[in-house]
Amino acid sequence: MVKVYTTVMNKGGCLKTSITTNIGSQLSLQGKKVLIIDLDEQRNVLMTFQINNTEFDIENWLLNEVEFDSVKVNVSSGLDIVNGPQSLYKFEKKIKEANVGLSVLKEKIDEVREQYDYVIIDTPPSFSITTSIGMAAANELLVPFQPEMYGSAGLVRTIDQIDDMKANVNPDARIKRVIPTKIVKRSKHHRKVVQECEQFLSSKGIELSKVRIWDTMDGVNSIFEEKRPPVLSRKSNKLKQVYRTLAKEVTS
């Protein structure tokens, strides 16, 4: 049975797309069939593979304008991607006009669930109809956060909004892990914030990932030089083992 993860955080720049693409890539390396769905108008998922434009995108699929085979893009063995909308405003406007409901993506995934072992959904860095559609489709949620003042505030807001979503849209979804990102190893501030975060999460019955995603240029270099995320890089880099461990943790 396909497992659906949605990566969500009410703040940009916290490595949502990096986590999505690298976990998906790692699972594909293990022989799993993986679909990554981009719900963000920035379209950074396909851009990670240096593909900027596609003829069709998530909007065309959800609104029944094209079949799934026309919208999926294969980027490596066992790894397909559905591109994000061109405009979030226009996308949400059409979703409202079509009156399809927040379960529209879940229903579409159900139609292709026999083709995949995992579906991973990347969402915009804000809470909106689009983000709610992504969360409504999920079995489990991945929440990255950067241990800075704004990142911690974003984490609290995100958890509050997830609680509201569970109460009203998808009661079966749960937060699988909160993942610390962009950690500076020598930063006492980062260590302190992560410790405080762990205490806060523990009080709510949420697990903090044991994995730390360090602040490194390896991810940017891999995408720029090889047109692929670090996990698929032919070169040695610090992030390969980090994302291997994270993939194992979130899928266990």
Side-chain angles (χ1 to χ4, degrees):
M1 180 180 293
V2 68
K3 196 69 170 288
V4 183
Y5 294 88
T6 296
T7 309
V8 59
M9 166 51 82
N10 190 3
K11 181 184 178 300
C14 59
L15 302 187
K16 268 192 312 86
T17 301
S18 295
I19 287 170
T20 300
T21 55
N22 279 284
I23 288 179
S25 296
Q26 177 59 34
L27 292 171
S28 72
L29 288 176
Q30 295 170 7
K32 304 299 183 183
K33 299 294 185 182
V34 181
L35 174 66
I36 297 178
I37 297 175
D38 195 352
L39 289 177
D40 192 354
E41 65 184 355
Q42 296 180 64
R43 297 177 152 193
N44 286 339
V45 170
L46 267 181
M47 203 175 297
T48 298
F49 297 87
Q50 301 297 298
I51 301 172
N52 295 319
N53 296 303
T54 56
E55 184 176 1
F56 302 112
D57 59 38
I58 185 69
E59 178 183 305
N60 303 117
W61 184 38
L62 295 191
L63 296 178
N64 297 313
E65 295 170 354
V66 296
E67 296 297 322
F68 178 67
D69 286 346
S70 297
V71 77
K72 70 177 181 180
V73 179
N74 179 256
V75 293
S76 67
S77 179
L79 181 59
D80 294 336
I81 290 173
V82 173
N83 205 9
Q86 294 186 37
S87 163
L88 208 58
Y89 170 76
K90 292 179 180 178
F91 172 64
E92 294 190 347
K93 184 173 183 289
K94 288 184 178 180
I95 288 292
K96 289 179 183 177
E97 289 171 350
N99 196 29
V100 291
L102 296 179
S103 64
V104 59
L105 180 55
K106 181 181 185 304
E107 292 165 1
K108 285 295 184 181
I109 291 172
D110 284 343
E111 292 176 5
V112 300
R113 62 171 47 249
E114 299 301 323
Q115 299 182 38
Y116 297 99
D117 300 299
Y118 293 97
V119 175
I120 308 176
I121 303 167
D122 194 25
T123 59
S126 62
F127 271 85
S128 60
I129 291 173
T130 304
T131 303
S132 296
I133 286 171
M135 292 196 296
N139 303 122
E140 296 184 332
L141 305 169
L142 305 177
V143 183
F145 93 105
Q146 186 178 1
E148 304 284 359
M149 179 176 67
Y150 298 130
S152 300
L155 176 62
V156 172
R157 287 195 304 272
T158 297
I159 291 174
D160 285 345
Q161 288 158 331
I162 288 172
D163 287 342
D164 182 66
M165 180 278 302
K166 290 179 65 175
N168 295 286
V169 180
N170 184 2
D172 296 325
R174 69 183 185 109
I175 298 175
K176 177 66 175 182
R177 288 292 189 278
V178 171
I179 306 163
T181 67
K182 293 188 174 180
I183 304 290
V184 177
K185 288 187 178 181
R186 296 182 180 180
S187 172
K188 293 181 180 178
H189 172 67
H190 280 193
R191 288 200 300 271
K192 183 174 185 295
V193 173
V194 170
Q195 288 172 356
E196 291 173 349
C197 170
E198 188 166 22
Q199 293 172 357
F200 165 70
L201 294 172
S202 178
S203 70
K204 298 181 74 67
I206 300 170
E207 287 192 65
L208 181 72
S209 174
K210 295 180 175 61
V211 175
R212 305 291 183 265
I213 302 180
W214 308 110
D215 191 20
T216 172
M217 288 297 293
D218 282 2
V220 174
N221 291 339
S222 176
I223 293 168
F224 179 74
E225 295 173 5
E226 298 185 75
K227 301 181 181 179
R228 63 186 67 204
V231 161
L232 295 179
S233 173
R234 299 182 184 91
K235 300 178 181 179
S236 174
N237 66 68
K238 297 176 182 177
L239 291 174
K240 277 189 177 182
Q241 187 56 49
V242 170
Y243 283 116
R244 284 185 193 128
T245 305
L246 181 61
K248 183 178 180 180
E249 183 184 70
V250 301
T251 58
S252 63

